[in-house]
Amino acid sequence: MEKRQKPDKGNAAFQEFEREFLAALGRDFKTPALDRFNRSLVQRGADVSFLKDAVLEKQEYHRTYFQVSLARRKDARAQFAFLEENFDLLQDWWHVDQLTQFLHRPTLEFALAKAAEYRQDPRPYVRRWAYVLFIPALLKEPGATEALLPLFQDDKAYTVQMAEAWLLSFLAVQQPGAVFAFLKDARLDYAIAGKAIQKICDSFRIPQEWKARFKSLRPALKLLP
C-alpha cells in the first residue's frame, strides 16, 4: 500500500473547507446532514481532491471525498477509474457498500468485466466490491442472474463471504430456481453457501416453498470437502 501523506492543514483550500464543514454540520456527522452538505458542494462544482490525504485521518471526510469526487466524473468508466486509483482509501465494508449510491449506472457487461478483475485482487475490500457493486441496480438487467453466477468462488475472507451470500440472496429473489440449481451443483464453500441460504430464508421477498427447498440443501452441502 502506498504510504499516505499527512493532510496539509496549511493548505488554504483545506482550511476553508474545514471552516465550511464545521459551520454547516457542527458535530452532526450523521449521513443525511452530511449528504446535504456534499450535494451543495456538487452543485457548485467543488473540487475536494485536497481531502485525499485526510480521509484516513478524519473519517468524517471520507464520504465527502468519494461522493463529491465521483459526482465530478462524467460517466461510469471515469468513476471506476477514480475508484481504482483510490482503492487503498476504502479499507472497510461500510465504505465499499455505500459506493453504488454515487455511481452512474454502468452497463452489465462493463460491470461484469470489472468484477472478474476485482475478485482476484489481494485486498478483501476490493474483492467484496466485486460482488456488492451489482446491488441493487444491475440485478434486474436481462440475463443478470445467469451472467453473475460464474463470478462466485471460494474466498477465505469473511467480508467477501458475506458479500457473496448477500448477492446470492438478491439473485434468488429474481430467479430462485437458477440460484437453487447453482448452489446444489457448484460445490461452493459452505461458509458462503450456508450464509446465502440463511439470507434467503430471512428474505421477505422469497416464497416459503422456495425457502424450504433451499434449507433442504444444507445437509449435502455440509458434507462437501
Side-chain angles (χ1 to χ4, degrees), residues 6-8 14-15 21 24-25 36 43 54 63 66 70 84 94 106 130 143 146 169 178 181 204 206 209-210 218:
K6 296 285 186 181
D8 180 7
F14 186 89
Q15 291 178 337
F21 186 89
L25 298 172
R36 285 194 296 273
Q43 287 169 1
R63 190 177 182 91
F66 280 96
L70 286 168
E84 290 165 8
W94 187 88
E146 294 82 357
S169 71
F204 294 109
I206 296 175
E209 55 268 29
W210 271 113
R218 281 180 166 153

Side-chain angles (χ1 to χ4, degrees), residues 174-210:
Q174 305 296 323
Q175 292 197 42
V179 176
F180 178 86
F182 172 77
L183 288 176
K184 182 180 178 182
D185 298 330
R187 303 183 69 83
L188 197 61
D189 190 327
Y190 190 73
I192 299 168
K195 289 181 179 72
I197 292 171
Q198 184 60 57
K199 288 183 176 295
I200 287 166
C201 292
D202 289 343
S203 174
F204 294 109
R205 297 185 293 165
I206 296 175
Q208 289 298 324
E209 55 268 29
W210 271 113

